[in-house]
């Protein structure tokens, strides 16, 4: 078999393809803050569309708008029910924690003589003459700058909060209009592509959709199994809110690495149990961390390679590498689309480069 020679034309063409891909990645990274709401909206619409279609055609609601509203109400109702099962017990435990911490802190302050020291310090240093000297010594402009800085920080935080609310509103607006014309969008976009290139791009989108379907099915199964494993582990060590905390961490596993947020409530609940039972805090926390380590080991060594490797056809090392690379390139979006994109890239490499 004759080897294909690399000509100047093929080299330039390959270089242009590489430059185009790099430029596209840089552009997406640059516009990630703008594209993220639309991407999240499209992802939500993609996941909600089967339910909307079921309500419209199987349940005979007929109106697409009504089907979208009913689907949103059903999903939000389900999420509210799940949160209702988790948040009230969590609030109850936190209230119990505060009721235990405050008396303990007061007792510590009283026994250590800290309260007497504070009163003595106030009597010695905080008096009218010292305050007058402090005001006279301080520059008025410094005080004004500090006040303006605090005011600006308050305004900045308020604007950030309002921007967050606006972003959520934009996501839901995007999602509503995408669902409203989902069929037109999914069936009409190939007409924007030249006829000779149309089969390639339609095949590309179908491959992406297949990869996304496989990824979400696999990741959802992993999240469910991880939630069950965490619940069992926390029950075995008699940890507070064992089932609720375990399912919450499992839900976070829908996005790779997001389960690290679960350390925050775990530490607080370990502190609460320590104060309530008198057990050593570090021992309780060590037992909880042991559950994290065991479940994470099972997830990384068995669940992810078996489940995601089966649905995507990727080696476990490639899975971890793809999550790191795409997460570094595209941030949060990259973590979500890492495995489908990697599967797609390898598939097209084998198809068009290696020609398997």
């Amino acid at each position: 078999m004759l080897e294909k020679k690399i000509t100047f034309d093929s080299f330039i063409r390959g270089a242009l393809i590489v430059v185009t891909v790099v430029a596209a990645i840089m552009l997406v990274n640059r516009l990630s803050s703008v594209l993220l709401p639309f991407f999240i909206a499209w992802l939500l619409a993609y996941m909600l569309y089967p339910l909307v279609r079921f309500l419209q055609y199987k349940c005979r609601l007929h109106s697409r708008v009504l089907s979208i509203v009913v689907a949103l109400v059903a999903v939000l109702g389900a999420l509210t029910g799940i949160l209702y099962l988790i948040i009230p017990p969590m609030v109850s435990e936190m209230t119990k924690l505060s009721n235990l911490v405050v008396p303990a802190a007061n007792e510590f302050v009283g026994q250590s003589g800290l309260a007497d020291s504070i009163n003595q310090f106030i009597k010695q240093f905080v008096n009218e003459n010292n305050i007058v000297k402090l005001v006279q010594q301080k520059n008025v402009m410094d005080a004004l700058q500090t006040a303006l800085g605090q005011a600006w920080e308050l305004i900045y935080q308020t604007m950030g909060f309002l921007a967050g609310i606006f972003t959520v509103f934009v996501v839901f607006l995007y999602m509503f209009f995408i669902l409203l014309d989902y069929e037109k969008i999914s069936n009409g976009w190939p007409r924007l592509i030249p006829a000779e290139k149309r089969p390639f791009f339609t095949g590309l989108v179908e491959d992406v959709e297949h990869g996304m379907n496989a990824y979400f099915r696999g990741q959802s199964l992993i999240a469910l199994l991880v939630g069950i494993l965490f619940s069992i582990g926390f029950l075995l060590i008699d940890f507070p809110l064992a089932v609720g905390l375990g399912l919450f961490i499992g839900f976070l596993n829908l996005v790779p690495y997001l389960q690290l947020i679960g350390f925050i409530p775990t530490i607080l609940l370990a502190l609460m149990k320590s104060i309530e039972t008198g057990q050593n805090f570090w021992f309780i926390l060590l037992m909880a961390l042991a559950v994290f380590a065991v479940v994470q080991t099972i997830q990384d060594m068995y669940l992810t390679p078996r489940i995601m490797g089966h649905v995507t056809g990727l080696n476990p090392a490639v899975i971890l590498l793809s999550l790191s690379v795409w997460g570094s390139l595209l941030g949060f979006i990259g973590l979500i689309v890492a495995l489908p994109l990697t599967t797609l890239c390898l598939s097209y490499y084998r198809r068009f480069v290696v020609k398997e």
Side-chain angles (χ1 to χ4, degrees), residues 59-112:
C59 298
R60 301 184 183 279
L61 294 183
H62 299 297
S63 171
R64 174 55 64 91
V65 174
L66 180 60
S67 300
I68 295 172
V69 172
V70 173
L72 286 174
V73 170
V75 172
L76 292 176
L79 291 176
T80 302
I82 294 172
L83 292 176
Y84 180 76
L85 293 175
I86 296 176
I87 292 180
M90 183 73 75
V91 172
S92 175
E93 296 292 342
M94 292 301 103
T95 303
K96 189 185 299 184
L97 175 63
S98 65
N99 292 335
L100 292 170
V101 169
V102 172
N106 291 334
E107 183 179 356
F108 170 77
V109 171
Q111 291 179 353
S112 62

Side-chain angles (χ1 to χ4, degrees), residues 224-245:
L224 175 62
L225 294 176
V226 167
I228 294 173
L229 289 174
F230 268 110
S231 299
I232 294 173
F234 288 142
L235 285 172
L236 290 176
I237 65 172
D238 193 25
F239 201 73
L241 282 178
V243 176
L245 181 62

Side-chain angles (χ1 to χ4, degrees), residues 18 20 63 92 102 114 147 187 230 288 290 297 308 344 356:
V18 172
T20 302
S63 171
S92 175
V102 172
L114 185 60
N187 296 328
F230 268 110
T297 301
M308 297 307 294
L344 186 69
E356 291 183 352

Side-chain angles (χ1 to χ4, degrees), residues 136-276:
Q136 290 175 347
Q137 291 174 357
K138 283 288 183 182
N139 193 320
V140 177
M141 290 302 297
D142 291 342
L144 182 61
Q145 288 177 358
T146 302
L148 289 175
Q150 293 175 349
W152 174 250
E153 183 178 356
L154 177 62
I155 295 172
Y156 182 78
Q157 292 176 352
T158 304
M159 293 299 293
F161 177 74
L162 295 176
I165 295 177
F166 178 74
T167 301
V168 172
F169 173 76
V170 169
V171 167
F172 275 94
L173 199 63
Y174 275 144
M175 182 183 66
F176 179 82
F177 285 117
I178 291 172
L179 285 171
L180 198 61
D181 295 314
Y182 194 90
E183 290 88 354
K184 292 181 180 179
I185 296 173
S186 58
N187 296 328
W189 68 267
R191 300 190 187 96
L192 302 175
I193 300 172
E196 64 275 10
K197 301 291 184 182
R198 200 171 295 167
F200 170 78
F201 283 101
T202 53
L204 177 65
V205 172
E206 288 175 0
D207 288 344
V208 171
E209 185 176 3
H210 175 74
M212 293 293 285
N213 284 335
Y215 171 74
F216 282 119
R217 285 197 302 269
Q219 195 63 30
S220 299
L221 180 58
I222 290 174
L224 175 62
L225 294 176
V226 167
I228 294 173
L229 289 174
F230 268 110
S231 299
I232 294 173
F234 288 142
L235 285 172
L236 290 176
I237 65 172
D238 193 25
F239 201 73
L241 282 178
V243 176
L245 181 62
L247 294 178
F248 173 69
I249 298 174
F251 176 77
L252 293 177
N253 267 268
L254 287 172
V255 179
Y257 303 127
L258 200 62
Q259 67 267 28
L260 295 176
I261 296 176
F263 281 118
I264 299 174
T266 301
I267 294 172
L268 293 176
L269 289 171
L271 179 61
M272 186 213 68
K273 183 179 179 181
S274 173
I275 296 175
E276 187 176 14

Side-chain angles (χ1 to χ4, degrees), residues 331-350:
F332 182 76
I333 296 177
L335 291 177
I336 297 176
V337 301
L339 298 184
L341 283 180
T342 302
T343 304
L344 186 69
C345 291
L346 292 176
S347 173
Y348 277 78
Y349 176 80
R350 287 192 293 263

